[in-house]
Amino acid sequence: MPKRTDIKKILVIGSGPIVIGQACEFDYSGTQACESLKALGYEVILVNSNPATIMTDPNIADRTYVEPITADSVAKVIERERPDALLPNMGGQTGLNCAIELDEAGVLSKYGVEVIGCNTESIRIGEDRKLFAEAMEDIGLHICRSGFAYSVADAERIVENLGFPVIIRPSFTLGGAGGGIAYDMDDLRRIVAQGIDLSPEGEVLVEESIQGWKEIEMEVMRDCAGNGIVICSIENLDPMGVHTGDSITVAPAQTLSDMELQRLRDASLAILEKVGVATGGSNVQFAVNPEDGRIIVVEMNPRVSRSSALASKATGFPIAKVAARLAVGLTLDEVKNDITQATPACFEPSIDYCVVKVPRFAFEKFKGTDETLSTRMKAVGEVMSIGRTFEESFNKAMRSLEVGENMLGADNPALFDVPDFRQRVSVPTAQRIYYVIEALRRGWEIDDLYELTGIDPWFLSHLRNLTDTEKWLAGHKLTEISGRDMRSVKQMGFSDEQIAHFTGSTELEVRTWRKAKGIVPVIKTVDTCGGEFPARTSYHYKTYEWGATERRDTDKPRAMILSAGPNRIGQGIEFDYCCCHAAYALHDKGFETVMVNCNPETVSTDYDTSDRLYFEPLTFEDVMDIVDIEQPEGVICTLGGQTPINLAARLKAAGVPIMGTQPDALDLAEDRERFSALLDELGIAYPVSGVAETYEEAVEVAHRIGFPLLV
């Protein structure tokens, strides 16, 4: 079907401010949607209140309203702009809730605005737990035994039949906000009261717990002709009970049989049809009983999500871009695959590598906060890595986090000398994965760990491959390791820093040794089709398998941009904005731009933002490997926040040309003693201060300055 000609002007709703559970993945999806619709000739109006986004740049939409995303505010925009259609499913839960409020207030019917990409009824069914449960029952799919509560008393009556533990899921909330797992009556009363308060409908679902089951997410897309494809399957390393945004996840799913995957695929497409998702992307979450394969439908989102961004970057399939085109009447067979330029979007992506996502938390900012992970999302960001094996991807992802744990805890054994070690293995927290790995180092049996954690034995056995490799490395000096063995270790994702630790050498010595033996990475391309068709875009990752590199050379000068890595409090979307604009500007000046980043939520990791994209950790080793391959005219370290700034001096010392502000100037601004000396030299007044490296020094400085003071 051709694109619709009965609509001319489309209003796109963004997601507003960054909050836990709703981050820059919606800048990515909203930007793609606006650009796609403009390319098709539509006039695009955008409402979003976040100034740090690419989405709110003046050139993304035809007109941008930096206004609150409330029904009253958006209604005024509709009254002024008179759009023909509203696209709400690119703005996360904020966008969907706003669309529902506009519909219920009669604003959409008053001005003749059609909701596209989804409809208000499908939003209600997908987001309202009661309506969704009834819809699943109609098509013969199983859901958990449950009941709906509108008061604490209702919940108490429901739990009499279900027993504890129970899971509380509020309707129409974001990232599981207001939900949780209740183990007793006190938990129940507290969580239900909060959930009812946060739910716009004042409604919570109280359902039986299926903790310990596998959790699988299917990213699905459907067009107006009823064609549907599954873009990606994603498996949680943590079992049910941990929000998927807080779990380490792996794509494609690793532990299911072909029959189980086919059942999930068929169920996903049936759910989209039943809910009424006429066009666009959705994700559907399932629980699979590891004992008998029984499948339970957990929930679905009739919109793009953080998992949609992850699936897009994992496969190279631009979910938001394609969803926007489907929303205006095109069908999957009419949309061209941007990466191959030869296949249509109705070809389901096929990947010949493994992707691992690890969430980033900020509990250090909130001392005293309960760090236990449950159904309420607590992650502030995430990283993604690509490798040929789970071990390689896992190791790369863990060092991408930038939390000071590049050795998986092997360099700090005292960390694990705690009396409650067994509990720290069993209770899901941000640190639990390190305790699981330490348990494997201590020789725990996989069956015992599975019983305690619910983590599938497949994952545990592959994690044990890592601890076995650590043990092997610790028994060898660097000079005793052959080239073949070194390649095998690198294929497991071990960094030079890790190898140096276990062999009693330095990172530089390991790098020099392996390069002398010809152990250097090859470059592979994300092509959406498992190598069946050549990729026309340069979206790369590095690996140590045998084979030829897939990177194409050009004669243009190259500039490398180091981006910001995972979102965290204090370093977020604003740096992604800067790096994207650097790529645009350098491209216009005739440079071939090379972007390095590991954050799947961002615009900077879209395959068409820069000329070359490397999805890699922002560590000295990984950046230097890319420098060796690309030989850039210079590397920009000042636009991605503290992460690349911390690398600048080492890169400079290694002979890498630094573009823009030089490392010494960065150090002058960052080092408080040097900066104070500069201000003294210039005769510029500044608050009295002092530098301390111990508690005793801090006390001395405090007595000299006096209270109150800022640390």
Side-chain angles (χ1 to χ4, degrees):
M1 297 174 65
K3 71 172 187 177
R4 291 180 58 175
T5 57
D6 58 326
I7 55 177
K8 308 293 183 184
K9 184 187 291 190
I10 300 171
L11 175 65
V12 177
I13 302 179
S15 63
I18 301 295
V19 295
I20 294 176
Q22 185 165 283
C24 59
E25 65 270 15
F26 297 110
D27 181 38
Y28 162 73
S29 58
T31 299
Q32 278 200 345
C34 290
E35 291 180 337
S36 294
L37 294 173
K38 282 180 66 177
L40 290 172
Y42 294 101
E43 186 178 358
V44 177
I45 311 301
L46 170 67
V47 180
N48 198 12
S49 55
N50 192 332
T53 61
I54 290 291
M55 190 181 188
T56 49
D57 263 8
N59 63 320
I60 297 298
D62 292 291
R63 276 185 298 288
T64 300
Y65 288 83
V66 183
E67 294 290 338
I69 303 176
T70 63
D72 289 342
S73 179
V74 176
K76 293 175 183 176
V77 175
I78 290 174
E79 181 181 14
R80 177 173 178 173
E81 291 289 345
R82 301 299 175 92
D84 302 302
L86 171 68
L87 184 66
N89 58 351
M90 301 293 169
Q93 198 66 49
T94 301
L96 290 188
N97 288 353
C98 185
I100 288 289
E101 290 178 34
L102 289 167
D103 182 55
E104 291 177 346
V107 173
L108 301 183
S109 59
K110 177 180 179 180
Y111 295 104
V113 181
E114 177 187 353
V115 177
I116 60 174
C118 58
N119 57 59
T120 53
E121 185 58 24
S122 69
I123 296 172
R124 287 189 179 92
I125 295 174
E127 298 290 334
D128 186 296
R129 304 286 181 182
K130 188 174 184 179
L131 294 176
F132 183 69
E134 292 170 352
M136 295 305 96
E137 187 177 346
D138 286 347
I139 56 176
L141 293 175
H142 299 290
I143 60 172
C144 291
R145 292 186 304 126
S146 61
F148 289 90
Y150 303 90
S151 68
V152 172
D154 288 346
E156 290 174 346
R157 283 191 293 272
I158 293 166
V159 84
E160 287 178 5
N161 295 321
L162 299 181
F164 287 107
V166 291
I167 297 176
I168 292 93
R169 302 182 188 275
S171 295
F172 289 93
T173 64
L174 173 71
I181 303 173
Y183 295 93
D184 54 38
M185 202 60 77
D186 288 340
D187 285 347
L188 182 79
R189 291 167 182 147
R190 173 177 51 83
I191 299 171
V192 167
Q194 186 181 52
I196 289 173
D197 183 58
L198 290 176
S199 169
E201 301 293 310
E203 173 187 89
V204 299
L205 178 70
V206 181
E207 69 179 19
E208 67 175 322
S209 172
I210 47 175
Q211 284 180 282
W213 291 30
K214 298 178 185 182
E215 184 166 1
I216 310 293
E217 189 163 356
M218 306 292 280
E219 291 294 326
V220 196
M221 184 159 287
R222 191 170 188 267
D223 66 21
C224 60
N227 303 308
I229 61 170
V230 174
I231 296 158
C232 190
S233 63
I234 302 172
E235 180 170 3
N236 287 20
L237 186 140
D238 290 300
M240 286 295 299
V242 176
H243 192 285
T244 189
D246 286 352
S247 178
I248 295 173
T249 61
V250 185
Q254 300 291 317
T255 73
L256 300 181
S257 67
D258 283 345
M259 183 179 295
E260 286 173 322
L261 277 171
Q262 188 61 44
R263 288 171 64 197
L264 295 182
R265 182 185 185 280
D266 293 344
S268 300
L269 295 172
I271 289 169
L272 259 65
E273 183 171 357
K274 178 61 181 179
V275 170
V277 179
T279 63
S282 298
N283 60 67
V284 187
Q285 289 170 288
F286 297 94
V288 179
N289 189 330
E291 302 300 325
D292 58 14
R294 179 186 169 207
I295 293 174
I296 291 287
V297 183
V298 178
E299 65 179 2
M300 68 91 69
N301 290 307
R303 57 173 171 83
V304 295
S305 66
R306 185 171 299 185
S307 294
S308 303
L310 174 68
S312 293
K313 306 303 172 64
T315 62
F317 188 102
I319 292 174
K321 183 179 292 185
V322 174
R325 293 172 180 172
L326 300 184
V328 293
L330 295 176
T331 53
L332 285 163
D333 58 301
E334 294 175 318
V335 177
K336 185 182 291 185
N337 182 318
D338 286 353
I339 283 187
T340 65
Q341 295 290 307
T343 57
C346 59
F347 278 39
E348 291 188 348
S350 174
I351 60 179
D352 53 0
Y353 46 79
C354 180
V355 172
V356 172
K357 176 220 83 180
V358 181
R360 178 66 148 81
F361 298 91
F363 291 119
E364 72 279 1
K365 301 284 187 180
F366 305 102
K367 295 299 182 183
T369 300
D370 180 11
E371 298 186 18
T372 304
L373 304 180
S374 66
T375 60
R376 184 171 188 170
M377 189 171 173
K378 296 179 179 179
V380 297
E382 62 190 27
V383 298
M384 185 190 99
S385 67
I386 309 174
R388 304 300 277 188
T389 64
F390 169 77
E391 291 89 342
E392 182 180 33
S393 291
F394 177 82
N395 245 331
K396 287 169 70 173
M398 294 303 287
R399 70 173 179 265
S400 297
L401 283 174
E402 302 174 43
V403 293
E405 292 287 355
N406 292 350
M407 306 287 179
L408 303 179
D411 58 333
N412 190 11
L415 176 71
F416 305 105
D417 291 335
V418 292
D420 59 344
F421 181 85
R422 184 178 179 86
Q423 183 179 3
R424 297 196 188 198
V425 171
S426 65
V427 176
T429 65
Q431 297 298 312
R432 199 241 306 250
I433 188 65
Y434 300 106
Y435 285 89
V436 169
I437 292 170
E438 178 63 19
L440 290 166
R441 289 192 189 106
R442 296 181 180 187
W444 284 31
E445 294 294 331
I446 285 177
D447 287 346
D448 294 338
L449 270 174
Y450 171 58
E451 185 71 24
L452 198 59
T453 65
I455 297 174
D456 191 275
W458 189 93
F459 293 117
L460 294 172
S461 65
H462 283 261
L463 291 175
R464 188 168 63 182
N465 290 342
L466 297 179
T467 59
D468 288 347
T469 303
E470 289 178 349
K471 185 177 180 180
W472 183 88
L473 280 169
H476 292 78
K477 295 179 180 179
L478 178 63
T479 53
E480 296 172 346
I481 301 176
S482 68
R484 179 179 293 274
D485 286 339
M486 177 64 81
R487 184 178 295 277
S488 295
V489 171
K490 297 300 286 185
Q491 286 173 345
M492 298 286 281
F494 278 81
S495 67
D496 292 346
E497 185 182 8
Q498 284 174 291
I499 296 169
H501 170 77
F502 290 110
T503 58
S505 51
T506 68
E507 182 180 358
L508 183 58
E509 287 170 342
V510 174
R511 182 176 182 81
T512 303
W513 179 261
R514 68 170 172 81
K515 289 182 70 175
K517 290 183 174 292
I519 310 303
V520 294
V522 296
I523 301 304
K524 295 293 183 180
T525 302
V526 174
D527 57 20
T528 77
C529 58
E532 292 186 38
F533 296 90
R536 302 300 180 188
T537 58
S538 295
Y539 174 12
H540 299 308
Y541 64 98
K542 63 186 184 71
T543 184
Y544 280 85
E545 75 165 17
W546 294 96
T549 189
E550 296 176 0
R551 171 188 172 275
R552 295 189 300 272
D553 207 355
T554 66
D555 56 4
K556 294 177 68 176
R558 285 183 285 278
M560 184 184 293
I561 303 162
L562 303 186
S563 197
N567 281 10
R568 67 210 80 167
I569 295 175
Q571 183 166 304
I573 189 174
E574 64 277 6
F575 296 112
D576 189 63
Y577 176 90
C578 296
C579 291
C580 290
H581 274 280
Y584 304 151
L586 287 166
H587 178 84
D588 290 344
K589 290 294 184 181
F591 285 91
E592 186 174 60
T593 55
V594 181
M595 186 75 71
V596 184
N597 201 7
C598 55
N599 187 337
E601 304 173 37
T602 61
V603 178
S604 69
T605 51
D606 207 355
Y607 57 79
D608 58 1
T609 294
S610 51
D611 296 300
R612 293 184 192 272
L613 167 64
Y614 284 88
F615 223 109
E616 290 293 325
L618 288 154
T619 70
F620 176 76
E621 174 189 343
D622 296 292
V623 170
M624 281 301 301
D625 284 342
I626 299 168
V627 168
D628 289 345
I629 293 162
E630 291 291 345
Q631 294 294 304
E633 299 287 314
V635 176
I636 297 177
C637 299
T638 52
L639 300 179
Q642 201 64 44
T643 296
I645 285 176
N646 291 344
L647 292 173
R650 289 189 71 187
L651 294 174
K652 178 83 171 181
V656 178
I658 304 298
M659 282 183 165
T661 306
Q662 295 301 298
D664 185 64
L666 295 173
D667 184 69
L668 181 60
E670 294 276 321
D671 188 297
R672 296 192 183 277
E673 284 189 294
R674 290 189 66 193
F675 187 64
S676 296
L678 174 65
L679 294 177
D680 288 337
E681 181 183 331
L682 296 174
I684 298 173
Y686 59 93
V688 178
S689 64
V691 176
E693 295 182 356
T694 67
Y695 174 74
E696 290 72 21
E697 290 177 0
V699 171
E700 182 183 335
V701 172
H703 283 309
R704 174 164 52 83
I705 296 174
F707 290 97
L709 49 78
L710 180 67
V711 179

